[in-house]
């Protein structure tokens, strides 16, 4: 089993409710919340980028008058 080196998101602030990310040697990304470290989502950089872009686009649509 590989050891992942988790990093806290810079958007998480100083609180205990943080998003952590780790990359495996194969390039797979692992995401978890600090309050539930046993629940890990696995994705690829391409899919995570698409999710973030979609969320930003949706937010911008909601903010339009």
């Amino acid at each position: 089993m590989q050891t992942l080196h988790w990093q806290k998101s810079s958007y998480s602030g100083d609180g205990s409710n943080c998003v952590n990310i780790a990359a495996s040697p194969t390039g797979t990304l692992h995401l978890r919340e600090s309050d539930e470290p046993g629940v890990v989502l696995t994705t690829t950089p391409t899919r995570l980028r698409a999710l973030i872009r979609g969320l930003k686009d949706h937010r911008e649509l909601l903010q339009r008058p």
Side-chain angles (χ1 to χ4, degrees):
M1 171 131 188
Q2 65 185 355
T3 300
L4 297 173
H5 299 282
W6 293 97
Q7 295 178 316
K8 183 174 84 166
S9 168
S10 60
Y11 291 97
S12 293
D14 293 330
S16 62
N17 192 12
C18 303
V19 175
N20 303 128
I21 188 167
S24 67
T26 62
T28 302
L29 298 177
H30 306 270
L31 301 144
R32 70 181 184 186
E33 288 190 53
S34 58
D35 59 345
E36 295 221 25
V39 178
V40 178
L41 300 176
T42 304
T43 189
T44 64
T46 302
R47 289 180 182 225
L48 181 59
R49 190 177 307 112
L51 172 65
I52 292 169
R53 185 176 297 125
L55 292 170
K56 285 181 178 180
D57 290 348
H58 182 73
R59 183 182 63 192
E60 289 172 8
L61 286 173
L62 292 175
Q63 292 177 348
R64 289 184 184 168

